[in-house]
Amino acid sequence: MALYLPRERLAFEIVDDPCSAPVDREAFPDATVIPITCEQIADPDAMARVADAIAARARASHGGIRKRHTSHRARAAVPAPASFTLVAQTGPTGDEAA
C-alpha cells in the first residue's frame, strides 16, 4: 500500500509492510516519495515530526509558507485532506491487503 496526497504532490511508501506495494511513479511522476514505517504511522508524535519536516521543506522551496499548526493537539484536530487516497493491493491469496 502507498498513501497518496496528489494535490500536495506527496506519496508515502510504507517500507516495512510485506503486503505493501511501492509508489506507482508512472501514475504520480511529480510526487515526492517519503519512505515511512508502520510504527511511524501509528505514532501521532512521529507523524507530527514527518509533517513538520514536510512543512520545513515546503517553506525552504517556496519561501514564506507559514506553519499552520503549532501543537500536537491542533494537528490531531485537522481532518485528512479530501484528496487523500488509500490504494489497496491484492495479496497472493486474493485477499485484499490495505
Side-chain angles (χ1 to χ4, degrees):
M1 145 180 83
L3 305 172
Y4 297 92
L5 293 118
R7 195 168 71 193
E8 290 80 6
R9 295 184 181 159
L10 291 173
F12 292 97
E13 190 164 75
I14 302 169
V15 297
D16 63 344
D17 182 352
C19 296
S20 180
V23 169
D24 184 352
R25 293 179 189 265
E26 288 183 23
F28 300 94
D30 60 345
T32 298
V33 178
I34 299 171
I36 195 163
T37 66
C38 293
E39 185 176 325
Q40 286 175 298
I41 292 171
D43 180 359
D45 292 327
M47 287 304 292
R49 288 189 297 275
V50 170
D52 288 343
I54 292 168
R57 187 181 330 178
R59 283 192 302 274
S61 65
H62 298 294
I65 296 176
R66 294 189 333 225
K67 185 175 177 180
R68 285 189 224 165
H69 310 293
T70 57
S71 71
H72 169 69
R73 183 170 296 207
R75 281 187 202 97
V78 175
S83 61
F84 188 85
T85 305
L86 176 64
V87 176
Q89 175 185 8
T90 303
T93 62
D95 296 333
E96 189 173 292

